[in-house]
Amino acid sequence: MKWLSRTPPPAVLATGYLALVVLGALLLMLPPMARTPVRLVDALFTSTSAVTVTGLGVIDTEHVLTFWGQLVVAVLIQLGGLGLMTFAVLVWSALGRPLGITQGVYLREDLNQTSYVQLTRLVRTIFRVVIIAELAGAMLLCLSFMPAHGLAAGLWHAIFHSISAFNNAGFSTFSPGLTIYATDPIVNTVIPALFITGGIGYVVVSDIYRRPFWRGWSLHTRLMIIGTAVLILLGVGITAVLEWNNPRTLGQFDSTTARLAVAWFQGVTTRTAGFNTTDISGLHDSTSLFYMALMIIGGGPTSTAGGLKVTTVVVMVLATIAFLRRRTDIWAFGRSIPLGDVLKAMALISIASAVIFTAVFVMLISHDGEFIDIAFEVASAFGTTGLSRGYTTELTDFGRIVIMVVMFLGRVGPLTLGFFLATRMVPRVRYPAGQVHLG
């Protein structure tokens, strides 16, 4: 096991996620899991989508998968959203074993933390939040699902959607998604509450719970709260404005209340939750382009959400404002932001842009279809969102492999990138400054 100690922690974690994907695919190919045989590439795609909590699907979760197949998907979602090391530490603690140095290193990388001090407390917070949120969500969703589907089926639909929503997965046990519950007040309240809580980040939830309002919150929590609020307002507002009279989306509803309910749900779910209460393929191209931006931004660090992360974008906005105001320092709420964090945000955005551009380019070469549909699919995969303009089932086997890689990089890639960014090297030689003309 010497190789394990020499292997970078993010690489070990990425390997663990890959192993979970393969195991999930093999399970989904077993006869009890599906009503019709599932091909290897489809099983791998479904498993990857579940582990990366994306929600893109090439098989019908309701009609193809049996209860056992849906259960496997739910477990993969939970493990992928919670994080392999977090789950392992929970099991380790339940057995009464202390957290060793090696486990602490891997857990620190998995949770994107820089200190060992708060790890145990953070894991306990994660455990409490997951249990409370998913149980409460399932019980409330039973009020909507049980009357329509019966006691047992309604309970399972509620549990599955609670797990999927909290982990920002976007999987549904209903073929048309949640469109049949587009105006249901419980679904429009509980599902968003779950994926917003899961997507805002465990560190933020811990801060809100343990510290005094606002003044006691860390800079990270303040930036996440404000950034999330702004993105929610933009998402809901622009959805309502652009789609209000579209007969395929909001325009199909007669009442203003119904249109606002759908605009609310679709505006907030876009940032990596991936549920839909309207026909995504019916969106205007302008709305689809805006949704692509929201999906790429994603949720918060140390959360169940994917994407670049809200704080990454906020830091770049603050850096841009500082540049325009000719300031050499970057600050917010009386706290400065280190140059290293700005460079990390720049690197993340640059690499994400390269990944998305390359994937779209490869897909356009190998597939016939509308540019907006293909670009939307890639953005959804990278942001681990799961929304689609109906193009997922049109993918060839090669296209499915490309989207699988993008989903995996969108979920696991930042771990590996973070490791190399965190590796500091003291330069032995300092060079004289040169001039480069920009812009």
Side-chain angles (χ1 to χ4, degrees):
M1 299 294 287
K2 290 184 179 180
W3 67 271
L4 190 61
S5 61
R6 295 195 299 265
T7 306
V12 175
L13 290 170
T15 303
Y17 281 104
L18 184 60
L20 183 60
V21 167
V22 174
L23 176 61
L26 294 176
L27 288 174
L28 289 173
M29 293 181 68
L30 296 176
M33 304 299 171
R35 295 180 177 88
T36 58
V38 178
R39 297 190 308 145
L40 175 60
V41 67
D42 293 342
L44 282 171
F45 190 98
T46 304
S47 182
T48 303
S49 185
V51 171
T52 60
V53 291
T54 302
L56 290 174
V58 291
I59 59 176
D60 193 320
T61 306
E62 180 182 13
H63 295 125
V64 174
L65 295 181
T66 63
F67 165 78
W68 299 108
Q70 294 174 5
L71 180 61
V72 168
V73 170
V75 172
L76 293 176
I77 290 171
Q78 188 70 80
L79 290 176
L82 187 61
L84 289 181
M85 272 311 301
T86 307
F87 183 77
V89 169
L90 290 175
V91 175
W92 202 257
S93 301
L95 295 175
R97 302 291 184 88
L99 182 65
I101 296 177
T102 303
Q103 293 90 343
V105 171
Y106 294 149
L107 181 62
R108 186 187 67 175
E109 294 293 336
D110 202 16
L111 294 178
N112 195 27
Q113 298 296 295
T114 57
S115 171
Y116 294 99
V117 178
Q118 302 295 332
L119 280 179
T120 303
R121 176 181 292 182
L122 182 58
V123 170
R124 290 173 181 171
T125 299
I126 292 172
F127 182 70
R128 292 193 188 100
V129 171
V130 171
I131 293 297
I132 293 173
E134 292 185 0
L135 281 178
M139 287 189 292
L140 290 172
L141 288 174
C142 282
L143 299 176
S144 289
F145 295 156
M146 279 186 174
H149 302 280
L151 185 63
L155 177 61
W156 171 240
H157 288 311
I159 293 172
F160 187 95
H161 282 87
S162 182
I163 293 173
S164 183
F166 181 80
N167 289 285
N168 280 250
F171 275 93
S172 176
T173 48
F174 304 127
S175 291
L178 294 173
T179 54
I180 54 179
Y181 293 96
T183 58
D184 186 291
I186 294 176
V187 170
N188 276 287
T189 303
V190 175
I191 296 291
L194 286 170
F195 61 65
I196 290 174
T197 302
I200 204 170
Y202 301 117
V203 173
V204 175
V205 174
S206 178
D207 250 10
I208 294 174
Y209 177 73
R210 296 177 183 276
R211 298 184 180 184
F213 176 78
W214 194 253
R215 289 187 178 275
W217 293 353
S218 66
L219 175 61
H220 171 81
T221 298
R222 295 184 187 185
L223 293 180
M224 270 303 304
I225 293 295
I226 291 179
T228 300
V230 169
L231 290 173
I232 287 176
L233 289 174
L234 284 175
V236 175
I238 291 180
T239 299
V241 171
L242 296 180
E243 298 294 323
W244 192 262
N245 294 315
N246 185 349
R248 296 184 62 184
T249 56
L250 304 187
Q252 64 181 299
F253 301 98
D254 296 328
S255 69
T256 300
T257 303
R259 294 187 185 187
L260 288 175
V262 176
W264 149 256
F265 189 96
Q266 213 56 64
V268 295
T269 192
T270 312
R271 285 180 40 246
T272 75
F275 292 98
N276 66 294
T277 54
T278 190
D279 182 12
I280 300 300
S281 63
L283 295 172
H284 289 305
D285 287 353
S286 56
T287 312
S288 297
L289 181 62
F290 176 67
Y291 278 9
M292 287 167 60
L294 291 180
M295 291 190 293
I296 292 171
I297 293 173
T302 319
S303 74
T304 60
L308 280 171
K309 304 298 187 293
V310 174
T311 46
T312 302
V313 176
V314 170
V315 166
M316 286 309 300
V317 170
L318 292 174
T320 303
I321 293 173
F323 171 77
L324 294 175
R325 293 183 176 179
R326 299 181 180 275
R327 294 201 317 256
T328 56
D329 58 330
I330 302 169
W331 54 268
F333 303 112
R335 295 290 186 271
S336 63
I337 298 174
L339 176 62
D341 288 345
V342 178
L343 294 176
K344 181 177 180 179
M346 291 174 60
L348 286 168
I349 292 174
S350 298
I351 292 177
S353 301
V355 170
I356 294 170
F357 176 84
T358 303
V360 171
F361 184 71
V362 171
M363 291 288 289
L364 288 172
I365 292 175
S366 58
H367 288 72
D368 292 325
E370 295 291 334
F371 173 81
I372 191 69
D373 294 339
I374 293 175
F376 194 91
E377 198 79 14
V378 172
S380 179
F382 181 82
T384 67
T385 306
L387 292 177
S388 175
R389 287 172 57 89
Y391 197 74
T392 310
T393 53
E394 302 296 323
L395 296 172
T396 63
D397 287 350
F398 176 75
R400 296 179 186 193
I401 292 172
V402 172
I403 295 298
M404 279 191 277
V405 172
V406 175
M407 287 191 291
F408 194 80
L409 290 177
R411 183 62 180 171
V412 181
L415 294 173
T416 305
L417 175 62
F419 172 79
F420 292 108
L421 290 175
T423 303
R424 297 183 178 180
M425 297 180 63
V426 179
R428 297 181 179 180
V429 179
R430 292 186 180 273
Y431 298 95
Q435 185 177 16
V436 179
H437 299 283
L438 302 174

